[in-house]
Amino acid sequence: MTTPSDSVIHLLPSELANKIAAGEVVERPASVVKELLDNAIDSGADSIKVLIQQSGRSMIQVTDNGCGMSKEDLVMCFRRHATSKISSAEDLYNIHTLGFRGEAMASVASVAQVNIKTRRIQDESGWEHEVRGGQEKEPVPAATQAGTSVTVRNLFFNVPARRAFLKTDATELRHIIIAVQQAALAHPEIAFEFSDEKENIYRLPSGSLADRIAGIYGKSYRASLLPVEESTSLFTLRGYLIDPKMAKKNRGEQFLFVNGRPFMHRHLNYIIQNVYSSWIGKEMYPFYALYYELEPGKIDVNVHPSKLEIKFEDERSVAAFTRSIITRSLNERFNVPDASFDETGERPPRQPFTFPEGFGGGSGSSLPGNRGGSWPDRFGTDSDRRTFGNKGFNGNEMMEKLYPSGISEQLGGTAGFGQAEGEQAASRSAQPAEKVYDKHRGYWQLHDQYIISQTRSGMFIIDQYAAHTRIIFERATNSAEAGLPGTQQLLFPQIIDFSASDFALLKDVLPTLRKIGFNIQLMSGNSAQVLGVPAELTKIDEKPIIESILQDFQNMGNTSGLDPKEKLLFAYATKAAIPRGRKLNFPEMEALIDQLFACSNPFFDPVNRPTTVFIPLDDIHKRFR
């Protein structure tokens, strides 16, 4: 006989069950925005307003002019699995709406303080209902406009562990911006207004899809859009691609929709990126907004609680059709015949270059490594090179080891390279009128990318770009810490229009940018005025370099091993450094090497990629024996 003490399985309380469901549905403030936007769109609204405070932590408000709710529906919408969208299993395969699970409001209300005001068009007055952490109050009559206004306050107030895992305000704001962009692009016929406590981020009137794209990303996108529209007996594909020249280094502007629903599909994204790679390479990402229209029964949207992942009934046909249309659209834009693809639609791989037989000695044709103990014996192991800065590394001592004595004093230090004009003039005035170059210390530039330097016991091959990146990074770090940046003021200040997500990122990193010499003033909307740039930047266009710094900073993620400030300084250094392919004269090569060995870690760039390769003279001798 079973006694109560023998039972270990029990039903969860509804409050706890809703919190568990919230863990799947409500990941961050952007999840709440997405769910509320889905409901507003399903209500038939043609105008939606979104207002947030503290990037959604304190408050999220979504107001629409849709159909509204009755008192009974207002109470029922907070019941888990309560929905007006489906009533049978067959309905799951004939879904035309965005929200249908009946989990969103119950999940949100279990981890936040929710207030709803709603009125149907045919009713004279509306209703107000509050739910705090799953605890409901009785609805009360309220004077309100037709439609629904949902206010969510203090998200995760009763789940502090979840609140602690939220990212910075700038990061959470970017996720919310993406959620609004997805809804706005999916429904250009709906007017959207999006604001935070400080400013209006978007004010998008209803209109065409091209108008909506231009409203979100700027007028420059409007002139670069490539229309796509093709139909088969199974489905229709329409939308816009972007001219390859507008591609960026970071993802985030790639949008796929099916029957008005945004979705993610790795294979389709890979196919589109693969087609574009012929024009932009593999490290750049284009904008596109593509809309698939097909019978609801041909897709399964009930795959994930976020409703972002879907499955097509015929994945192969959709993939092949997409590849064909994207390829043709790009080729037609540039009048390129489609002869470079084989019958499978794949581009044949390029054959690697190989030396003729007998040239270079087979496997020995690569540069010799640290053979014979030459490098470790003289200057330490590779691991030692990474930690020179921690061992009190002295650049002058290293120069004495590498080059004949007296050369460092004779060469006069680091003057002349990568300095502002005033600093260069001061350096020149402090030097003798005539400078003597010692024949024992020669420099040669190889393919305008590498500097070959003769030393006592061999030679160094220095990557000029990586070396200058290390120099600029350490100089910017010191400038930021000292708070004494060198800034060159622009004769004509430039106004730059950013996307909403880039502008949010700019506001987050602006204090650090100012510390290294950028004089940038924020303006209304998503615009900023550039008044000055670091003294080391010469002959550059301010707009692309600032956008590129933001993109590189955002792309680094957590893989670089740098903290956020170091990532930003590294992104700046990669843009300020002399590029590979630039020809250098002798004084410039000399100054670059001197400044490199004055760094705390001259042998690696900030992300531990080598700046130099040392080849001992003994290894060179062995090649000729």
Side-chain angles (χ1 to χ4, degrees):
M1 181 177 178
T2 301
T3 63
S5 60
D6 294 328
S7 177
V8 295
I9 300 176
H10 59 277
L11 292 174
L12 290 174
S14 60
E15 179 181 350
L16 181 56
N18 285 335
K19 285 185 178 180
I20 295 174
E24 296 180 338
V25 178
V26 186
E27 180 183 0
R28 59 192 342 141
S31 306
V32 177
V33 173
K34 177 187 178 302
E35 296 292 349
L36 298 183
L37 285 174
D38 285 353
N39 290 339
I41 293 169
D42 286 342
S43 73
D46 59 17
S47 177
I48 299 175
K49 296 181 180 180
V50 181
L51 174 63
I52 62 172
Q53 292 179 357
Q54 200 182 352
S55 298
R57 299 170 193 264
S58 299
M59 192 267 284
I60 298 169
Q61 184 180 78
V62 176
T63 304
D64 66 69
N65 64 347
C67 62
M69 291 182 285
S70 65
K71 177 183 178 181
E72 291 73 16
D73 286 342
L74 179 57
V75 175
M76 187 61 68
C77 78
F78 287 100
R79 301 290 183 267
R80 194 178 180 200
H81 303 314
T83 178
S84 63
K85 315 299 174 56
I86 60 175
S87 57
S88 66
E90 289 74 17
D91 291 339
L92 286 174
Y93 300 97
N94 192 34
I95 292 173
H96 295 271
T97 57
L98 301 178
F100 59 90
R101 295 174 184 271
E103 292 179 323
M105 294 309 301
S107 298
V108 172
S110 68
V111 293
Q113 301 163 1
V114 180
N115 175 278
I116 296 184
K117 293 181 180 180
T118 184
R119 178 172 73 84
R120 297 185 298 183
I121 297 176
Q122 64 269 31
D123 295 338
E124 294 183 358
S125 63
W127 296 90
E128 181 178 359
H129 190 30
E130 290 187 12
V131 183
R132 178 186 174 91
Q135 302 299 316
E136 298 186 47
K137 294 183 179 181
E138 187 68 22
V140 296
T144 183
Q145 296 179 346
T148 302
S149 178
V150 183
T151 305
V152 178
R153 299 184 184 276
N154 300 322
L155 185 62
F156 299 133
F157 79 99
N158 55 352
V159 193
R162 293 289 305 281
R163 192 176 181 90
F165 275 93
L166 294 179
K167 305 299 182 182
T168 64
D169 282 356
T171 299
E172 297 300 337
L173 177 58
R174 287 199 298 273
H175 283 283
I176 295 175
I177 289 172
I178 292 173
V180 174
Q181 287 174 346
Q182 288 178 331
L185 288 172
H187 298 277
E189 74 281 2
I190 300 177
F192 284 85
E193 186 174 334
F194 175 35
S195 307
D196 62 11
E197 66 269 26
K198 299 178 181 178
E199 60 186 340
N200 187 283
I201 298 174
Y202 285 134
R203 190 185 298 272
L204 305 170
S206 59
S208 67
L209 177 57
D211 291 336
R212 179 57 50 90
I213 294 172
I216 293 176
Y217 294 106
K219 296 179 180 178
S220 60
Y221 274 58
R222 178 64 181 267
S224 302
L225 294 177
L226 310 180
V228 174
E229 187 164 3
E230 191 72 28
S231 296
T232 70
S233 58
L234 298 177
F235 54 86
T236 297
L237 175 61
R238 61 180 181 86
Y240 286 99
L241 307 173
I242 200 72
D243 191 299
K245 68 185 179 186
M246 298 291 289
K248 296 183 177 180
K249 289 186 176 181
N250 61 315
R251 296 182 177 91
E253 296 183 0
Q254 297 76 42
F255 299 94
L256 299 175
F257 304 89
V258 58
N259 297 345
R261 175 191 301 278
F263 73 98
M264 297 185 301
H265 201 287
R266 292 184 180 181
H267 187 51
L268 290 179
N269 285 326
Y270 168 78
I271 288 173
I272 300 170
Q273 181 67 30
N274 184 258
V275 174
Y276 259 99
S277 64
S278 304
W279 305 91
I280 62 177
K282 295 183 178 180
E283 302 300 323
M284 304 291 285
Y285 301 92
F287 165 88
Y288 51 82
L290 298 175
Y291 300 75
Y292 296 82
E293 297 176 2
L294 65 164
E295 296 179 12
K298 301 293 184 180
I299 58 174
D300 183 4
V301 299
N302 195 28
V303 176
H304 190 274
S306 66
K307 302 189 292 291
L308 281 177
E309 298 179 15
I310 71 167
K311 289 183 179 180
F312 291 96
E313 182 180 71
D314 190 349
E315 297 272 351
R316 179 174 298 183
S317 295
V318 173
F321 181 71
T322 301
R323 180 188 297 276
S324 175
I325 296 305
I326 302 303
T327 301
R328 190 174 68 187
S329 297
L330 288 175
N331 287 345
E332 288 178 352
R333 171 65 178 240
F334 300 103
N335 297 319
V336 176
D338 199 19
S340 57
F341 293 87
D342 58 25
E343 63 275 5
T344 65
E346 298 286 348
R347 181 177 295 276
R350 293 182 178 179
Q351 296 299 319
F353 174 80
T354 56
F355 284 106
E357 184 176 355
F359 188 92
S363 62
S365 61
S366 61
L367 290 177
N370 300 332
R371 293 178 293 177
S374 301
W375 169 257
D377 291 345
R378 292 184 177 91
F379 307 114
T381 62
D382 285 349
S383 61
D384 291 334
R385 292 193 290 170
R386 295 175 183 266
T387 56
F388 262 113
N390 299 329
K391 295 182 179 181
F393 173 80
N394 187 294
N396 292 327
E397 292 179 2
M398 178 57 69
M399 297 294 276
E400 286 296 327
K401 289 183 179 182
L402 293 174
Y403 300 101
S405 60
I407 298 301
S408 297
E409 294 84 351
Q410 189 176 354
L411 289 172
T414 64
F417 189 84
Q419 297 175 310
E421 290 186 9
E423 294 174 344
Q424 292 183 19
S427 299
R428 287 193 294 267
S429 64
Q431 295 175 0
E434 183 176 351
K435 193 171 185 179
V436 180
Y437 297 107
D438 192 279
K439 66 179 180 179
H440 295 292
R441 187 181 183 187
Y443 301 112
W444 302 268
Q445 193 177 20
L446 180 65
H447 294 298
D448 294 342
Q449 298 185 57
Y450 303 100
I451 300 172
I452 298 177
S453 172
Q454 173 182 312
T455 70
R456 286 170 177 257
S457 56
M459 69 176 183
F460 264 117
I461 301 177
I462 299 170
D463 184 326
Q464 67 187 41
Y465 172 73
H468 202 212
T469 298
R470 162 56 68 179
I471 295 167
I472 297 295
F473 175 80
E474 293 200 6
R475 189 175 296 163
T477 300
N478 295 334
S479 177
E481 291 176 352
L484 297 172
T487 301
Q488 52 179 328
Q489 299 299 320
L490 301 181
L491 183 61
F492 301 103
Q494 184 174 155
I495 296 178
I496 302 176
D497 295 324
F498 295 90
S499 67
S501 56
D502 283 348
F503 190 71
L505 179 60
L506 175 65
K507 291 192 293 185
D508 192 36
V509 302
L510 187 56
T512 301
L513 289 177
R514 285 172 173 165
K515 286 182 179 179
I516 62 177
F518 283 97
N519 185 356
I520 300 175
Q521 301 297 326
L522 300 180
M523 302 175 66
S524 59
N526 297 324
S527 299
Q529 186 178 41
V530 183
L531 302 172
V533 296
E536 288 166 327
L537 294 178
T538 58
K539 298 181 180 179
I540 54 94
D541 189 349
E542 292 78 18
K543 183 178 188 295
I545 196 169
I546 293 175
E547 289 180 339
S548 187
I549 289 172
L550 296 178
Q551 292 170 18
D552 288 351
F553 170 73
Q554 191 172 356
N555 287 339
M556 278 185 230
N558 298 322
T559 60
S560 62
L562 305 176
D563 63 34
K565 178 181 176 182
E566 290 173 331
K567 286 195 295 184
L568 183 65
L569 296 179
F570 175 55
Y572 160 69
T574 60
K575 302 308 169 191
I578 54 172
R580 297 183 180 94
R582 174 183 156 185
K583 193 169 187 63
L584 303 180
N585 57 35
F586 188 94
E588 288 175 330
M589 290 187 283
E590 173 195 40
L592 181 69
I593 294 175
D594 289 345
Q595 293 177 29
L596 177 64
F597 283 104
C599 292
S600 63
N601 187 353
F603 299 105
F604 289 86
D605 76 358
V607 290
N608 284 328
R609 293 177 300 201
T611 60
T612 63
V613 173
F614 177 73
I615 303 179
L617 187 60
D618 290 343
D619 286 352
I620 298 176
H621 289 327
K622 291 177 184 178
R623 305 289 298 208
F624 294 94
R625 295 175 184 170

